Amino acid sequence: MEAPPDNDVLWARALHFTHRDRTPGLNGVSLGVRDGEILAVGGPRGSGKTTLLRCLSGMLSPTKGEVWFNSTPVHTMGPLSRERLRRERFAWVDPEPGLVPELNVWENAALPLMLRGLGRRKARERAVDWLERLDVGAFARKNPLELNQAQRQRVAIARALAPSPTVLFADEPTAPLHRADRVHVLRTLMTAARSHDITVVLATGDLEAAALADRVVHLLDGRRVSNAQLPPAAGTEGRASCSLSV
């Protein structure tokens, strides 16, 4: 096994993944993610973006291929080791915030910290700090159901960033939002990540969102391609061409 380059925090080689219904999810995808980089994974719906993020984060084991994190082979880890890796070094943001309605906003943001054993007072301080960075600190004592969708998603991002993960995986984190909210939330997420040297892997089907990243790789039908057909930003026309990478 050849170890990945030293400056890559994540590295994947020839990843294949087949779903339970035998449909292919990934077909020979290779890529590297540099430490502190914000990488967008673009492509239309069903192109394999979520499957790639799940394989990189250890949520799924590839059918074939290698995944490395800081020179550690994730693809050979057992389920418990991968779970510990995700808990201690990774964070995940979904399209839906998934907040706990029985907890207030700051308790939701502090939940991963308290699950790691941090005391309630220190967890609250760190959570509120991130809520304020994401412009939702004023809602710290409110119930999540009192917030609008964009505000709840900011709380979910604060929850992901509060434990200072090495890598944040964001799977279409702003897909349900209106355009203005989508751009604002993404800019805030990326600014916060850059200020704390957090690597971000962002799955998106939106050209405008992808343009905010440091670099974009494109998927189509589970393969890396040189360009993928993505929905244009509102008010623009035209489509990107698509060809296989070499």
Side-chain angles (χ1 to χ4, degrees):
M1 261 187 323
E2 178 187 351
D6 290 338
N7 62 340
D8 282 350
V9 65
L10 283 170
W11 191 67
R13 176 165 53 193
L15 283 186
H16 292 257
F17 184 83
T18 303
H19 294 289
R20 289 184 179 180
D21 61 1
R22 304 201 176 196
T23 58
L26 296 174
N27 193 349
V29 175
S30 298
L31 60 81
V33 186
R34 294 183 291 273
D35 188 22
E37 181 179 29
I38 295 178
L39 176 72
V41 180
R45 185 179 178 85
S47 58
K49 302 186 299 296
T50 297
T51 302
L52 176 60
L53 264 64
R54 289 179 179 271
C55 285
L56 291 175
S57 66
M59 294 176 72
L60 291 176
S61 294
T63 307
K64 187 167 61 173
E66 301 175 17
V67 177
W68 296 73
F69 168 69
N70 281 344
S71 301
T72 299
V74 179
H75 55 285
T76 62
M77 288 181 174
L80 292 178
S81 296
R82 285 189 280 116
E83 182 181 346
R84 184 168 58 251
L85 176 66
R86 292 195 304 271
R87 184 175 64 249
E88 296 178 354
R89 306 301 296 275
F90 296 160
W92 187 279
V93 180
D94 272 319
E96 294 296 329
L99 303 179
V100 181
E102 292 81 11
L103 303 178
N104 66 26
V105 164
W106 80 255
E107 289 169 336
N108 268 279
L111 187 58
L113 297 168
M114 291 189 286
L115 289 175
R116 289 185 181 188
L118 191 65
R120 183 178 175 87
R121 181 177 177 180
K122 289 186 177 180
R124 180 184 181 279
E125 290 175 355
R126 191 182 300 184
V128 170
D129 178 59
W130 275 106
L131 291 169
E132 289 174 350
R133 291 172 188 269
L134 289 154
D135 300 325
V136 285
F139 308 115
R141 293 188 176 276
K142 289 187 176 293
N143 185 282
L145 299 178
E146 299 178 68
L147 277 58
N148 64 34
Q149 193 171 33
Q151 291 164 344
R152 289 195 298 271
Q153 193 66 339
R154 286 173 182 269
V155 176
I157 293 169
R159 179 181 59 190
L161 291 170
S164 299
T166 304
V167 183
L168 171 64
F169 295 93
D171 183 19
E172 300 275 10
T174 58
L177 304 182
H178 294 297
R179 179 183 174 276
D181 286 336
R182 184 169 66 242
V183 173
H184 194 189
V185 169
L186 275 176
R187 287 187 185 278
T188 304
L189 185 158
M190 293 181 181
T191 299
R194 285 192 173 101
S195 69
H196 286 71
D197 198 31
I198 295 172
T199 303
V200 177
V201 184
L202 167 72
T204 181
D206 177 32
L207 279 171
E208 194 169 11
L212 297 174
D214 298 324
R215 184 166 58 100
V216 185
V217 299
H218 300 281
L219 296 184
L220 186 66
D221 296 332
R223 296 177 180 269
R224 269 196 72 172
V225 295
S226 60
N227 227 338
Q229 182 176 314
L230 297 174
T236 63
E237 296 181 355
R239 295 178 176 179
S241 61
C242 172
S243 58
L244 288 176
S245 297
V246 293

